[in-house]
Amino acid sequence: MVDIKDVLSFNYYTYKKPFTGSDNGKRYRIVRLEKEVQAEEGTEPKKEVVFKAFLWKDFLAFEKTSEEEILTKEFEFTPDGLGEVVAWINETDVE
């Protein structure tokens, strides 16, 4: 089971570095992602910062695993959002 302290502090992710780990036959990767969000017509697109988490079976590296075999989910980029990432990793099975 992954604990919040296993994935480093929230401040680590403000430096835009990914974090990877493994637990009980699954691997995970957590990144800070800046994405453009479509704004109202006539205004410029806004940037939103989120956590993006990836989860896959523990036998291949991220780069060697096909996209179809990787589960992904986005979370709010906050300390609570990081807690939700950890909960998702613990609750989700990879088949």
Side-chain angles (χ1 to χ4, degrees), residues 1-87:
M1 180 168 208
V2 179
D3 190 85
I4 190 73
K5 63 182 176 234
D6 296 332
V7 297
L8 303 179
S9 72
F10 174 76
N11 289 337
Y12 171 84
Y13 299 96
T14 62
Y15 294 101
K16 301 180 184 178
K17 301 289 182 188
F19 180 81
T20 59
S22 64
D23 181 63
N24 292 326
K26 57 187 170 184
R27 295 184 56 111
Y28 56 89
R29 177 181 173 100
I30 305 167
V31 297
R32 174 185 180 222
L33 176 69
E34 288 184 18
K35 64 180 194 172
E36 285 192 5
V37 177
Q38 189 63 26
E40 293 180 25
E41 192 172 323
T43 62
E44 293 186 29
K46 298 178 182 179
K47 291 206 181 219
E48 179 181 29
V49 179
V50 296
F51 279 115
K52 187 164 186 178
F54 303 85
L55 195 59
W56 68 99
K57 288 184 183 178
D58 194 16
F59 61 90
L60 288 176
F62 180 76
E63 294 80 10
K64 300 290 184 180
T65 304
S66 69
E67 286 185 31
E68 295 82 27
E69 296 181 74
I70 300 175
L71 302 174
T72 61
K73 190 167 180 181
E74 292 181 1
F75 300 86
E76 186 176 287
F77 189 72
T78 64
D80 288 339
L82 184 57
E84 292 174 15
V85 170
V86 171

